[in-house]
Amino acid sequence: MTTISDNTRGALLMMGGMCAYTANDAFMKALSDEIPLFEAVLWRGVGAIICLLIMCRMMGQLRFDLPRREWGLIILRSLGEVAGTYFFLTALFNMPIANVSAILQSLPLAVSLSATVFLGEPLGWRRMAAISVGFAGVLLIIQPGGADFNLFSLYALAAVACVTLRDVVVRRMSRDVPSIFVALIAAVGVTLLGGVGSLFTESVPFTTKATLQLLGATAFLICGYIFSVTAMRWGEISFVAPFRYTSLIVAMILGVLVFGEWPNFLTMIGAMIVVATGLFTLYRESRNRVRRVPVPSAR
């Protein structure tokens, strides 16, 4: 990845993170029939913490000596992660996975606009147009006012606000703060949420099937944590953020293959629009990168 631009690197990491997060979501949704929400979050988090802690130790990235400013940003980001996890999983346990993922596709617009307002990042008209067209595709999928738009859709929108805060905050962190360490602290926060919530719910014994599903969710969650944190530290947010749309396509595929949730005609049209905007954004970046390459002078 040393020969590609920062924007392309960030986009690839974001696509990898979204694929991993969506696979985790599918495992968690499958668990919803057997295990209460908070208990699943607790044990998934325990597995994630153990793995991330081992990775941090092996890579020498346990950095408890960070400046106070960086700790403040890490904690603020983790609070956004915790709140976003609660709202998102509550919606996921009560809605089709593709519908929840579709609502979360308003994130590129929210994150890009927030980066412009709070971080002063430029947002050209072509990029803004691509984001807006992609969001129009998302609206075709969500179909506000339709039968599938309900109270839990508002939980998904609350998750959008929390994740926007999370992603803008991580951009303010120094590059010296290890991404895996940031992911570890976030995992600790989410696990504490599961632990507190489990105190008020009845514990359920794990079956072999549930255990395997939980292990799958944990593995993909770790990948999602690391990729998403790293992605937001490369390139421009307004470029990287639209590649969150990847999760929508993956969610629709998993919805059909795993849960038998077939999308309707408008949903398919919206998905094609979303894919087209992502391809256009990558095309524009490749063209711009070619133009920026200096031409060797003749001697």
Side-chain angles (χ1 to χ4, degrees):
M1 296 181 68
T2 57
T3 61
I4 63 177
S5 69
D6 286 352
N7 276 347
T8 303
R9 181 182 290 110
L12 292 174
L13 287 166
M14 180 59 75
M15 286 191 285
M18 291 304 99
C19 289
Y21 270 139
T22 309
N24 158 73
D25 296 340
F27 276 111
M28 290 296 286
K29 183 173 179 61
L31 269 172
S32 65
D33 293 334
E34 298 188 45
I35 306 297
L37 168 63
F38 288 113
E39 187 173 357
V41 170
L42 170 62
W43 293 112
R44 183 192 66 173
V46 169
I49 289 173
I50 292 172
C51 293
L52 288 170
L53 188 59
I54 292 172
M55 293 172 67
C56 280
R57 288 281 296 178
M58 292 178 62
M59 301 174 68
Q61 294 190 357
L62 279 178
R63 293 287 308 278
F64 294 105
D65 59 340
L66 295 171
R68 182 178 300 177
R69 173 186 179 277
E70 303 300 336
W71 270 112
L73 293 172
I74 289 173
I75 292 173
L76 182 58
R77 183 197 178 279
S78 297
L79 290 174
E81 184 87 56
V82 170
T85 297
Y86 169 73
F87 287 121
F88 176 76
L89 288 180
T90 301
L92 181 66
F93 275 37
N94 294 277
M95 293 176 62
I97 184 172
N99 292 51
V100 182
S101 295
I103 294 175
L104 249 69
Q105 301 318 305
S106 57
L107 267 170
L109 185 59
V111 172
S112 297
L113 292 177
S114 297
T116 300
V117 173
F118 297 110
L119 303 179
E121 287 197 4
L123 183 62
W125 71 268
R126 289 185 180 88
R127 195 172 293 174
M128 184 63 193
I131 295 172
S132 300
V133 170
F135 185 60
V138 170
L139 289 178
L140 285 176
I141 299 170
I142 300 174
Q143 299 167 36
D148 291 331
F149 194 84
N150 53 34
L151 172 64
F152 295 107
S153 300
L154 299 180
Y155 275 71
L157 289 173
V160 169
C162 295
V163 176
T164 299
L165 169 67
R166 182 197 72 183
D167 285 353
V168 172
V169 166
V170 79
R171 188 67 176 189
R172 303 297 298 270
M173 293 180 191
S174 166
R175 287 280 181 93
D176 295 331
V177 180
S179 296
I180 296 180
F181 183 69
V182 176
L184 172 62
I185 300 302
V188 170
V190 173
T191 304
L192 288 175
L193 168 69
V196 172
S198 296
L199 296 176
F200 302 95
T201 57
E202 183 178 354
S203 179
V204 175
F206 280 66
T207 63
T208 301
K209 177 184 175 182
T211 301
L212 293 174
Q213 290 172 335
L214 192 64
L215 290 174
T218 302
F220 282 111
L221 179 68
I222 293 168
C223 295
Y225 272 147
I226 296 172
F227 286 167
S228 63
V229 172
T230 309
M232 297 309 295
R233 307 177 81 175
W234 288 99
E236 302 166 50
I237 287 182
S238 59
F239 179 88
V240 175
F243 291 90
R244 290 183 178 279
Y245 291 146
T246 305
S247 67
L248 175 61
I249 309 304
V250 178
M252 290 178 61
I253 294 172
L254 291 177
V256 172
L257 297 180
V258 180
F259 302 105
E261 300 166 351
W262 287 88
N264 58 32
F265 177 74
L266 286 179
T267 298
M268 293 299 297
I269 295 297
M272 287 188 287
I273 292 174
V274 165
V275 172
T277 57
L279 293 176
F280 172 77
T281 305
L282 271 179
Y283 169 74
R284 286 287 308 170
E285 170 64 12
S286 64
R287 287 288 301 272
N288 290 338
R289 186 163 180 260
V290 169
R291 291 170 184 168
R292 290 194 294 266
V293 174
V295 179
S297 58
R299 292 186 182 275

